[in-house]
């Protein structure tokens, strides 16, 4: 009864879609739409059609969301999008492949944002699975400016049917080869290279709860979403980061790497950070510190586990890591954790629940500010690759390094692994 409990606690409205869900529904795709080009939606829908096979039972829910006091230009654009989606619904709908369109306007500004849009969409999916009595139904999150590989549905459904996975992040690539704007092309290469450097550096550091946090690349079970309270509607951006941080320590999860989501490379200010904002800053020449993160703070995080499991004292850690932990009142926190836990395994997990991904990011900023050591992203990636076991003495370009890390991600993924258990066994040699 997890879905029913979620709807009572976290959803104060009734279902918006009146049509009954498909019996035996395999997967619901959710797509928020705001100030989007119809051409982008056409590309997305065409890719979803190509990915569809008759044995699948698929529903796609679009949400056109609009804040109060929206401009007349935006309103007209959204009305055209709604008409377009309604036409697509009539053209494409068949027994096992359906498109639904929700249009919500006059959303209060304090509630309006991507967090609210994702929550409305996923709540609608929960209503539908609750009606079907399917607690384990699959939900995927996409964005309107993406398109997908033609085995997208197949790989998601297969992964969850053949494993105990509760959450998956789907492999992604930003398509840039056809971009004419060289500055924009460089911007998306550097942005994706940073994402892959950061995630793989965390894995290298032996941090236990690691995944990409790209909201257009999630797939999860309905009961998993419900159990952890879903997306938070107040998030204007970063809803994907906080959702992953919240659930990852508690679920079995996979990386789905045999298909691909392709988020478009374009400038946008619809959210205060993310791909569109990063590209805008790059094109405008605004320096972002995260493109100059050295590998050093990740090397020090690699030693943190020895402190956590009691093989090193606080004094034996790098001075900056020690200073940061003291600043965060680590000794008081350890005392509290030990007081409420009996086993060492639970203690270790609870420590990393406290030392979460947000604290990791704050430590890296703290390290860089105090060390005052900057480098190029290319050099950081080369250093990481060397630590991973391959000599990268050649002067690879950012593009070459990105292709290398893409290939590394495809070939070094974890399937159906509860990462904390795996890391704990490795650390404790049990």
């Amino acid at each position: 009864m997890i879905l029913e409990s979620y709807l009572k606690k976290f959803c104060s409205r009734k279902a918006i879609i009146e049509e009954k869900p498909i019996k035996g529904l395999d997967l619901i795709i959710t797509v928020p739409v705001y100030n989007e080009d119809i051409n982008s939606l056409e590309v997305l829908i065409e890719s979803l059609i190509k990915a569809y096979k008759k044995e699948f039972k698929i529903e796609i829910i679009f949400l056109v969301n609009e804040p109060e006091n929206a401009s007349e230009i935006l309103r007209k654009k959204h009305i055209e999008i709604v008409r377009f989606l309604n036409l697509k619904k009539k053209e494409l709908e068949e027994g096992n492949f359906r498109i639904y369109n929700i249009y919500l306007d006059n959303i209060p500004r304090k509630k309006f944002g991507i967090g609210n849009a994702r929550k409305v969409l996923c709540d609608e999916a929960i209503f539908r699975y609750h009606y079907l009595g399917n607690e384990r139904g699959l939900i995927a999150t996409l964005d309107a400016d993406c398109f997908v590989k033609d085995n997208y549905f197949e790989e998601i459904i297969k992964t969850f049917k053949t494993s105990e996975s509760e959450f998956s992040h789907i492999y992604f690539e930003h398509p840039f080869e056809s971009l004419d704007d060289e500055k924009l092309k460089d911007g998306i290469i550097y942005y994706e290279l940073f994402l892959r450097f950061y995630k793989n550096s965390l894995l290298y550091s032996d941090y236990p709860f690691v995944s990409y946090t790209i909201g257009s690349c999630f797939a999860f079970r309905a009961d998993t979403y419900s159990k952890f309270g879903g997306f938070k509607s107040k998030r204007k951006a970063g809803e994907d980061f906080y959702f992953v941080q919240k659930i990852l320590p508690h679920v079995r999860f996979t990386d789905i790497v045999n298909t691909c989501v392709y988020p478009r490379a374009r400038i946008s200010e619809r959210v205060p950070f993310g791909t569109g904002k990063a590209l805008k800053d790059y094109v405008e020449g605004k320096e972002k510190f995260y493109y100059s993160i050295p590998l050093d703070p990740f090397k020090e995080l690699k030693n943190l586990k020895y402190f956590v499991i009691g093989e090193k004292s606080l004094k034996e850690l790098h001075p900056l890591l020690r200073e940061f932990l003291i600043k965060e009142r680590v000794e008081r926190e350890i005392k509290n954790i030990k007081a409420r836990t009996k086993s060492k395994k639970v203690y270790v997990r609870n420590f990393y629940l406290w030392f979460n991904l947000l604290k990791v990011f704050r430590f890296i900023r703290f390290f860089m500010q105090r060390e005052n050591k900057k480098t190029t992203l290319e050099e950081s990636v080369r250093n990481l690759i060397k630590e991973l076991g391959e000599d990268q003495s050649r002067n690879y370009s950012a593009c070459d390094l990105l292709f290398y890390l893409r290939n590394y991600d495809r070939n070094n993924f974890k399937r159906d692994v509860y990462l904390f258990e795996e890391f704990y066994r490795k650390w404790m040699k049990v």
Side-chain angles (χ1 to χ4, degrees):
M1 306 298 287
I2 295 173
L3 306 194
E4 183 177 352
S5 176
Y6 169 84
L7 291 171
K8 286 179 179 178
K9 187 175 181 180
F10 294 103
C11 188
S12 58
R13 62 171 176 81
K14 294 181 179 180
I16 300 171
I17 299 171
E18 296 179 354
E19 295 98 322
K20 293 180 180 179
I22 302 169
K23 289 182 180 179
L25 185 58
D26 289 308
L27 176 63
I28 296 176
I29 308 294
T30 62
V31 187
V33 182
Y34 169 72
N35 196 19
E36 192 55 68
D37 295 327
I38 287 179
N39 288 341
S40 295
L41 289 167
E42 184 115 49
V43 169
L44 170 60
I45 291 171
E46 287 302 315
S47 72
L48 292 171
I49 292 170
K50 288 180 181 178
Y52 175 68
K53 293 183 178 180
K54 288 190 176 180
E55 62 265 30
F56 300 148
K57 297 179 179 181
I58 307 290
E59 293 188 350
I60 305 162
I61 306 176
F62 291 91
L63 168 64
V64 180
N65 61 125
E66 186 178 290
E68 61 186 353
N69 302 319
S71 69
E72 191 61 27
I73 293 173
L74 181 62
R75 283 183 171 276
K76 287 181 179 179
K77 188 175 188 178
H78 280 172
I79 289 170
E80 286 300 312
I81 288 171
V82 170
R83 287 174 182 159
F84 167 78
L85 290 173
N86 286 338
L87 283 173
K88 283 295 179 183
K89 174 181 169 67
K90 291 178 182 178
E91 288 175 11
L92 302 173
E93 187 173 282
E94 58 174 85
N96 291 337
F97 184 76
R98 300 181 189 173
I99 288 179
Y100 297 101
N101 175 33
I102 299 170
Y103 179 31
L104 295 181
D105 60 354
N106 290 312
I107 301 171
R109 288 280 177 177
K110 64 180 181 179
K111 291 184 177 180
F112 180 77
I114 186 61
N116 182 66
R118 291 212 195 277
K119 175 175 165 44
V120 170
L121 283 161
C122 288
D123 285 359
E124 202 65 22
I126 298 299
F127 273 117
R128 299 183 77 70
Y129 281 124
H130 177 56
Y131 178 88
L132 293 170
N134 182 5
E135 299 260 314
R136 305 277 282 168
L138 299 182
I139 302 169
T141 58
L142 262 176
D143 283 340
D145 60 350
C146 296
F147 61 96
V148 301
K149 198 172 179 179
D150 58 10
N151 62 346
Y152 174 76
F153 296 138
E154 180 180 3
E155 288 299 320
I156 294 174
I157 294 168
K158 181 174 73 175
T159 295
F160 283 89
K161 278 189 175 180
T162 59
S163 74
E164 290 301 312
S165 182
E166 298 164 276
F167 170 83
S168 285
H169 194 281
I170 301 159
Y171 178 79
F172 69 97
E173 290 181 0
H174 293 92
F176 59 81
E177 288 85 353
S178 62
L179 291 176
D180 295 325
D181 187 326
E182 290 299 321
K183 190 74 173 176
L184 187 62
K185 182 185 289 188
D186 287 345
I188 196 60
I189 288 170
Y190 275 104
Y191 182 69
E192 186 181 325
L193 183 60
F194 163 73
L195 294 177
R196 296 193 187 277
F197 165 73
Y198 192 82
K199 180 254 189 179
N200 283 295
S201 294
L202 278 176
L203 283 175
Y204 158 76
S205 77
D206 285 338
Y207 190 80
F209 312 126
V210 181
S211 172
Y212 288 111
T213 58
I214 300 171
S216 57
C217 302
F218 293 168
F220 41 81
R221 296 189 185 274
D223 59 350
T224 301
Y225 180 85
S226 300
K227 193 186 305 180
F228 296 99
F231 289 111
K232 296 303 179 186
S233 60
K234 67 180 180 179
R235 296 287 177 196
K236 303 295 184 183
E239 82 299 337
D240 40 15
F241 172 87
Y242 287 99
F243 180 67
V244 169
Q245 177 177 260
K246 177 170 58 175
I247 73 168
L248 214 59
H250 308 284
V251 301
R252 298 179 70 87
F253 68 95
T254 64
D255 289 301
I256 300 176
V257 296
N258 294 324
T259 188
C260 190
V261 174
Y262 301 95
R264 281 179 57 202
R266 65 176 183 176
I267 293 172
S268 171
E269 286 190 287
R270 291 180 295 179
V271 292
F273 49 86
T275 307
K277 182 63 165 60
L279 287 178
K280 183 176 185 296
D281 289 341
Y282 185 86
V283 169
E284 292 178 354
K286 296 178 182 177
E287 182 180 356
K288 289 298 179 180
F289 84 93
Y290 46 76
Y291 289 159
S292 58
I293 295 176
L295 191 62
D296 302 53
F298 296 99
K299 288 182 177 179
E300 300 315 322
L301 285 176
K302 200 172 181 69
N303 289 317
L304 180 61
K305 68 170 184 263
Y306 299 112
F307 167 70
V308 178
I309 63 179
E311 292 185 5
K312 282 190 176 184
S313 68
L314 193 59
K315 291 181 180 179
E316 294 176 281
L317 297 178
H318 187 282
L320 290 180
L321 179 54
R322 181 172 67 247
E323 184 180 346
F324 179 81
L325 289 171
I326 291 171
K327 183 170 172 277
E328 295 290 324
R329 300 182 179 180
V330 67
E331 292 173 310
R332 184 187 69 176
E333 191 60 34
I334 285 175
K335 185 178 179 180
N336 291 337
I337 294 171
K338 285 182 175 177
R340 64 177 187 266
T341 56
K342 294 182 179 179
S343 76
K344 194 163 188 177
K345 182 169 72 172
V346 174
Y347 162 74
V348 171
R349 191 188 71 166
N350 286 346
F351 178 90
Y352 280 102
L353 288 176
W354 171 73
F355 198 81
N356 58 25
L357 288 169
L358 196 56
K359 275 194 176 65
V360 169
F361 193 68
R362 281 166 46 199
F363 164 67
I364 291 169
R365 292 200 72 164
F366 172 82
F367 187 98
M368 291 180 67
Q369 288 166 356
R370 296 298 299 274
E371 189 85 350
N372 197 26
K373 178 182 178 181
K374 292 184 179 181
T375 184
T376 64
L377 183 54
E378 292 95 324
E379 187 62 28
S380 296
V381 175
R382 290 188 197 104
N383 289 335
L384 172 64
I385 291 172
K386 288 179 184 178
E387 292 292 331
L388 295 176
E390 179 168 328
D391 182 18
Q392 283 294 325
S393 56
R394 285 178 290 177
N395 190 27
Y396 277 5
S397 68
C399 187
D400 294 331
L401 293 167
L402 175 56
F403 285 135
Y404 179 91
L405 287 185
R406 282 179 175 181
N407 188 60
Y408 183 84
D409 276 343
R410 284 193 297 266
N411 293 322
N412 294 275
F413 70 103
K414 303 292 183 182
R415 179 174 291 281
D416 192 26
V417 172
Y418 182 38
L419 277 184
F420 173 71
E421 297 289 349
E422 178 188 81
F423 275 93
Y424 185 79
R425 287 195 299 270
K426 183 173 71 173
W427 293 351
M428 303 304 293
K429 299 179 176 60
V430 297

